[in-house]
Amino acid sequence: MKIYNTLSAQKENFLPPGSQVRMYVCGVTPYDESHLGHAMFAIVFDAVRRYLIFCGYKVTYVQNITDVEDKIIERANTLGIPARALAEKFANKFFEDMAALNVLKPDIIPYATEEIPKMLEVIKGLIDRGHAYVANGSVYFRVKSMPDYGKLSHRTLDSMKSGARVEPGEEKEFPMDFALWKAAKPGEPSWDSPWGKGRPGWHIECTAMALKYLGEQIDIHGGGQDLIFPHHENEIAQSESFTGKKPFVRYWMHNGLFQLGDVKMSKSLGNIVTIRQVLEKYSADAFRMFILGSHYRNPLTLSEEAIEAAERGAERLRQALANTGKAGSEKLDATTYRQKFIEVMDDDFGTPQAIATLFDLVREINRVNEKGLDTGEARATLKELAGILGLTLEEPEQTADDAAPFIELLISTRKKLREAKQFQLADEIRDKLAEMGITLEDTPQGTVWKRKK
Ligand SMILES: [Zn+2]
């Protein structure tokens, strides 16, 4: 198997030291509903993880929750609730959305604020080794102490320096130095440290959690391309300076960014399309096929036509599965399709070609079905290979409520009873419906009903 490694900027043979694959993917900073950019990284690395498991690796997948960060603090202060409560609420929603997208849950989900002791240990170690310094209650990483700083983003300190700026109140030795620990400010959550009250910088979180849960050298580290610099560059600097071991990460994988039309997917622009909004209209299979229909390193632009095409594609796969064929007759052999699927996935997770292979197999299943051949094994292969991409190929749940006509009937009966002044019977209908979780509300436009969640 070959994986494109951002560090070497080329495809490399994937050779982990054993059958264990330790994988870390930067998680979300939950302060609002999850948007499509979140779905992109989650589905990409879910497919990577599922394929590695299919190949026989034992994968340990860690994905953190950043629950202390400027945007969380700001939003929590506006709402007048603790930052942690806000983060937890939207983190739970994120994992609900992920479950709806058939994304496997990470094996370990560390919350930054629960990992402060490990962060303090790493920061202390970096100060002891001369890689970090204290200034005014904050601690900064000294980038000049690391000769190969910039190796992931393929830049030099000189080229970065021109774009760097020092925020007011920061007392850095050098503009590119970055905060490991930020001295407490009023109105912000803070923790005790040897340098006074404060909170951790963002980059140190991932270093501490990766070291704690996966060890000093990990196999795959993933995230969006927007994290290469400075976040992942700084993770390398911290981790390798602390442990003295290189490389911190054997394979750095970065997915292309999700774009909404011509505008980059970003919360600050306010053009959010949430995962929930998409799943109201399309099946999870269709959305996954839309995401995986493009190679993960390419940027992906949201397009209604493309998701609709993916929905029709998903329906074709489902129909082929439902095609029962003729058991006992000559069998359709799907081995070549299986091999093709593995071959394209082995080449840096070629999911677009993998999906194309599924369609080739479907075409063959449909063709031989007409001839009355046994497609049982071929259909099992289709289901198995689709599963590696996280496609369930199950009929999407009916969005329309099957009970709706009956509820409408009871509502009109209740109306007639009320008109006939049979209030007791009318109330009984309302109460019985309420027991079943259906609430009625009488409005000037008539009675409306809804299901309690
Ligand atoms: Zn991270």
Side-chain angles (χ1 to χ4, degrees):
M1 188 193 309
K2 281 187 190 303
I3 296 183
Y4 182 89
N5 188 350
T6 308
L7 186 63
S8 64
Q10 57 190 14
K11 284 185 198 171
E12 293 177 17
N13 284 318
F14 182 61
L15 300 164
S19 61
Q20 181 87 24
V21 173
R22 286 160 302 171
M23 191 169 171
Y24 187 98
V25 176
C26 289
V28 292
T29 302
Y31 61 94
D32 206 342
E33 297 280 339
S34 308
H35 61 70
L36 298 185
H38 295 137
M40 171 119 175
F41 92 80
I43 288 172
V44 162
F45 289 106
D46 185 59
V48 169
R49 179 189 188 185
R50 285 174 185 268
Y51 187 64
L52 291 170
I53 294 170
F54 167 78
C55 292
Y57 291 108
K58 197 181 170 312
V59 181
T60 307
Y61 185 103
V62 178
Q63 189 179 298
N64 65 300
I65 297 282
T66 299
D67 59 345
V68 55
E69 202 261 351
D70 292 344
K71 290 193 193 80
I72 294 184
I73 296 169
E74 204 179 292
R75 182 105 201 260
N77 285 348
T78 314
L79 297 172
I81 57 170
R84 168 71 193 213
L86 178 84
E88 221 167 79
K89 177 183 161 192
F90 286 112
N92 290 339
K93 281 194 162 192
F94 168 74
F95 286 113
E96 274 171 33
D97 288 349
M98 291 304 108
L101 289 171
N102 198 29
V103 169
L104 297 173
K105 204 160 188 183
D107 297 303
I108 304 167
I109 306 169
Y111 277 72
T113 58
E114 284 168 18
E115 309 295 341
I116 306 275
K118 183 71 188 178
M119 297 181 209
L120 294 178
E121 179 199 322
V122 177
I123 298 171
K124 268 185 241 164
L126 289 170
I127 295 173
D128 291 346
R129 293 167 184 69
H131 292 291
Y133 56 93
V134 185
N136 241 349
S138 294
V139 183
Y140 297 98
F141 187 91
R142 185 179 277 131
V143 291
K144 281 185 168 169
S145 76
M146 198 194 169
D148 52 1
Y149 184 77
K151 64 182 167 184
L152 183 70
S153 51
H154 307 287
R155 311 186 204 192
T156 60
L157 268 185
D158 280 340
S159 71
M160 294 174 209
K161 217 169 60 184
S162 53
R165 62 193 181 113
V166 179
E167 299 290 332
E170 289 185 327
E171 290 180 31
K172 297 182 189 175
E173 289 176 0
F174 182 73
M176 292 310 295
D177 291 352
F178 58 89
L180 300 171
W181 187 259
K182 298 174 176 178
K185 285 186 206 154
E188 291 188 355
S190 62
W191 288 263
D192 289 323
S193 84
W195 320 286
K197 279 194 173 294
R199 63 180 169 103
W202 173 35
H203 317 303
I204 196 68
E205 280 178 29
C206 289
T207 284
M209 297 185 223
L211 292 177
K212 178 171 168 184
Y213 292 103
L214 294 172
E216 295 184 332
Q217 291 184 293
I218 69 177
D219 301 301
I220 295 176
H221 193 319
Q225 283 166 355
D226 52 343
L227 298 184
I228 296 173
F229 188 87
H231 186 50
H232 289 163
E233 194 74 71
N234 292 349
E235 273 189 48
I236 295 180
Q238 296 162 156
S239 305
E240 293 185 355
S241 301
F242 177 73
T243 66
K245 287 193 183 142
K246 290 181 189 190
F248 162 49
V249 173
R250 293 190 179 88
Y251 303 89
W252 281 98
M253 291 184 69
H254 292 98
N255 64 273
L257 299 184
F258 200 91
Q259 303 178 6
L260 211 55
D262 287 320
V263 193
K264 193 181 135 208
M265 194 70 207
S266 155
K267 270 294 171 54
S268 44
L269 296 174
N271 49 15
I272 311 155
V273 173
T274 65
I275 295 170
R276 272 153 212 250
Q277 283 169 334
V278 165
L279 286 178
E280 273 166 24
K281 264 184 104 174
Y282 304 100
S283 69
D285 280 350
F287 189 61
R288 288 185 75 112
M289 283 171 70
F290 165 65
I291 298 268
L292 299 174
S294 162
H295 190 261
Y296 75 89
R297 284 195 282 122
N298 295 331
L300 184 61
T301 304
L302 180 65
S303 126
E304 197 105 35
E305 299 87 62
I307 303 189
E308 263 157 24
E311 190 73 88
R312 289 191 297 275
E315 192 47 39
R316 272 179 63 208
L317 299 184
R318 291 181 199 119
Q319 279 168 2
L321 264 195
N323 237 332
T324 47
K326 202 174 183 183
S329 56
E330 198 189 329
K331 282 191 172 72
L332 167 63
D333 184 5
T335 315
T336 52
Y337 298 94
R338 199 169 195 278
Q339 279 165 350
K340 177 76 185 163
F341 184 95
I342 292 170
E343 187 187 307
V344 296
M345 286 295 279
D346 271 350
D347 184 12
D348 195 28
F349 307 96
T351 54
Q353 296 85 347
I355 291 173
T357 307
L358 296 186
F359 284 122
D360 289 343
L361 176 56
V362 161
R363 211 166 295 126
E364 189 61 11
I365 290 174
N366 292 341
R367 197 177 65 82
V368 304
N369 242 323
E370 287 165 21
K371 292 203 250 158
L373 264 69
D374 183 349
T375 56
E377 272 180 35
R379 280 180 288 118
T381 302
L382 173 62
K383 177 102 180 144
E384 182 198 13
L385 300 180
I388 296 168
L389 302 177
L391 308 174
T392 65
L393 302 191
E394 280 159 14
E395 287 299 332
E397 271 179 49
Q398 291 296 320
T399 39
D401 197 316
D402 290 342
F406 305 102
I407 297 168
E408 296 293 346
L409 180 65
L410 285 166
I411 288 173
S412 87
T413 308
R414 174 174 170 260
K415 185 165 174 259
K416 286 181 187 138
L417 287 168
R418 284 166 67 93
E419 281 160 6
K421 306 224 182 304
Q422 301 257 23
F423 294 114
Q424 206 179 331
L425 266 178
D427 288 350
E428 204 174 303
I429 288 178
R430 189 196 57 207
D431 296 344
K432 292 277 181 208
L433 281 170
E435 279 171 27
M436 289 184 267
I438 292 144
T439 52
L440 303 187
E441 195 190 326
D442 296 313
T443 73
Q445 287 78 36
T447 305
V448 291
W449 64 275
K450 60 176 174 248
R451 258 182 211 284
K452 254 189 257 159
K453 291 260 164 136

